[in-house]
Amino acid sequence: METSFQSAIDAGKISGAVICATDAEGHFFYNKAIGERTLLSGEKKPQQLDDVLYMASATKFITTIAALQCVEDGLLTLDGDLSSIAPELAAKHVLTGFADDGSPQLDPPARPITLKMLLTHSSGTCYHFINPLTAKWRAQFTNTESQDRLPVEERFSYPLSFQPGAGWMYGPGLDWAGRLVERVTGLTLMEFMQKRIFDPLGVTDAQFYPVTREDLRTRLVDLNPDDPGAIGSAVLGGGGEMNLRSRGDFGGHGLFVPGLGFVKVLRSVLANDGVLLNANTVDNMFQQHLSPEAAASHQAALASPMGPFFRVGTEPGMKVGHGLGGLLTLEDADGWYGERTLTWGGGVTLAWFIDRKNNLCGIGAIQAKLPVDVEFVAGLKQTFRHDIYSKYTVWKGEQ
């Protein structure tokens, strides 16, 4: 891993990386910062373990925990109707196509959207850049040229792309889940996360976009000459519109936190230590939660051109499902992920996993240079995923 990453730095493909991994007990740990970051001034500094990283879609895992805490508090349920809390969701119809005159064809929802559907991408909410019908609706009915920053409800005003619970497609379900947390608690998502997730773990350096705390901005990897607005452009493969157009805390993509802080959350769930969630809730996160219809749709998505992104490092044909928080492996991978490993990532540069069977969790955050060589970076993420297991195996053999 170190050799591969250093070669990538020498070749000008990446500027560095932050890798943090540990077992449940904290006996094994691998924390390493490689390379350097460039300040706005052009000055270069060695990459540090406490550098603040853009989490992109890894934010979704933290939001999942926040939502499950609200379930434990009796403020939300996994399977209940959300219409009284989020009437905008209940009012959404399913977009099935467009008539000859260009008008959208919309079917009423067959069943209510539930929190479980939002957490597993089976609610019908979909990103416009993934679904062509949603993209066409957005172009026709929203001002795509607007520079306004909009809240979740307005940013994701699109119709559903399939009947709730009857399909699977990656989308803004976790942004909606974050809004549910805010509505039932009366706190912003950041306030709730700080109180219930970060404070109990001693994490003091997290903030949603835009990062305004000066103590964090001085450590912010994504504040550099290529990204003077710190929108996480390199993490997103050169994009960043989602942050630029968002107002408020977006639970699907907006969090900035050091790798050391994120791995504390992973380790707490791995250890099932009761700090964040009770034991039964954690066990439930590592179960398959897709209906048969949604599971079939998920398999189709894995086989689609977007499949490599949705598989997050698992091999084609490997049995996988979806837990509460990420992709869920449903069988062992020899020498690697154990059955019921939960995993996802962030943008094109970040990967995380929790493997309860093999007692290991970790995050690998590659600091790519623009323009991002997405395929090359994907290979580096896979090197992280596999080599951290090799290091863990060697360590265990030395005990």
Side-chain angles (χ1 to χ4, degrees):
M1 182 162 56
E2 296 86 345
T3 302
S4 297
F5 284 12
Q6 188 59 54
S7 295
I9 293 170
D10 295 340
K13 294 280 192 177
I14 68 173
S15 58
V18 173
I19 303 104
C20 301
T22 185
D23 60 5
E25 298 77 21
H27 295 157
F28 169 81
F29 59 89
Y30 181 91
N31 297 321
K32 193 171 185 67
I34 304 169
E36 59 187 14
R37 65 186 180 96
T38 306
L39 308 184
L40 272 178
S41 64
E43 177 190 355
K44 295 184 182 298
K45 296 185 67 174
Q47 188 94 57
Q48 302 291 334
L49 280 170
D50 69 346
D51 284 344
V52 177
L53 311 174
Y54 177 46
M55 292 290 109
S57 288
T59 304
K60 292 176 169 69
F61 182 66
I62 311 294
T63 303
T64 295
I65 293 172
L68 293 175
Q69 288 174 329
C70 288
V71 172
E72 291 187 348
D73 292 347
L75 300 174
L76 292 170
T77 63
L78 278 173
D79 297 306
D81 186 344
L82 298 171
S83 57
S84 63
I85 304 169
E88 307 95 330
L89 275 175
K92 287 183 180 295
H93 281 46
V94 180
L95 180 63
T96 59
F98 288 83
D100 292 340
D101 63 1
S103 60
Q105 297 172 316
L106 297 162
D107 289 346
R111 62 189 65 84
I113 290 175
T114 67
L115 177 60
K116 183 188 291 185
M117 294 176 192
L118 294 175
L119 299 184
T120 58
H121 302 291
S122 59
S123 67
T125 60
C126 181
Y127 290 129
H128 71 274
F129 49 83
I130 290 179
N131 184 281
L133 286 180
T134 304
K136 183 175 181 178
W137 187 95
R138 176 177 178 267
Q140 187 170 333
F141 292 102
T142 67
N143 182 2
T144 56
E145 302 301 317
S146 172
Q147 302 299 304
D148 292 344
R149 295 179 60 196
L150 301 175
V152 169
E153 299 87 338
E154 295 177 50
R155 177 57 58 205
F156 300 120
S157 59
Y158 327 135
L160 303 178
S161 60
F162 52 82
Q163 286 290 348
W168 186 94
M169 184 46 64
Y170 195 49
L174 273 296
D175 297 289
W176 283 101
R179 285 296 288 127
L180 296 177
V181 170
E182 293 184 327
R183 290 181 180 184
V184 299
T185 66
L187 303 173
T188 68
L189 189 56
M190 185 68 240
E191 289 170 342
F192 184 84
M193 286 181 175
Q194 191 62 55
K195 179 180 178 182
R196 295 291 298 275
I197 298 174
F198 296 129
D199 281 348
L201 298 176
V203 178
T204 60
D205 38 15
Q207 190 175 19
F208 275 89
Y209 178 86
V211 176
T212 55
R213 284 174 49 185
E214 201 54 43
D215 61 318
L216 301 188
R217 288 178 67 83
T218 59
R219 296 154 49 197
L220 196 58
V221 169
D222 295 282
L223 185 63
N224 58 60
D226 286 333
D227 192 0
I231 61 174
S233 183
V235 178
L236 300 172
E241 177 188 351
M242 200 79 86
N243 275 333
L244 281 176
R245 304 289 177 259
S246 301
R247 187 176 82 234
D249 299 344
F250 274 59
H253 66 258
L255 191 65
F256 289 75
V257 65
L260 285 175
F262 193 86
V263 81
K264 286 183 177 181
V265 180
L266 299 181
R267 182 190 165 204
S268 181
V269 174
L270 173 66
N272 205 355
D273 56 14
V275 174
L276 301 180
L277 296 164
N278 68 42
N280 290 337
T281 299
V282 171
D283 288 343
N284 197 33
M285 294 175 72
F286 292 81
Q287 303 300 315
Q288 160 73 300
H289 281 286
L290 296 179
S291 69
E293 284 180 292
S297 177
H298 184 223
Q299 293 303 309
L302 296 178
S304 75
M306 286 287 290
F309 177 79
F310 297 144
R311 289 197 300 268
V312 287
T314 60
E315 294 298 323
M318 184 177 179
K319 293 179 182 178
V320 297
H322 213 285
L324 301 180
L327 184 87
L328 185 72
T329 65
L330 298 177
E331 62 181 350
D332 292 337
D334 187 35
W336 190 41
Y337 286 168
E339 182 184 0
R340 308 219 173 239
T341 293
L342 197 65
T343 178
W344 200 252
V348 298
T349 63
L350 189 148
W352 65 262
F353 68 91
I354 303 173
D355 181 347
R356 298 211 296 174
K357 187 169 185 177
N358 291 309
N359 191 28
L360 186 66
C361 66
I363 176 175
I366 296 164
Q367 310 310 315
K369 287 189 175 181
L370 294 172
V372 180
D373 186 333
V374 175
E375 194 169 322
F376 181 83
V377 170
L380 292 180
K381 287 192 294 183
Q382 200 69 337
T383 297
F384 152 72
R385 292 182 180 111
H386 284 279
D387 193 50
I388 201 67
Y389 275 79
S390 299
K391 295 182 186 304
Y392 185 43
T393 298
V394 170
W395 175 84
K396 286 191 292 185
E398 295 172 345
Q399 302 310 299

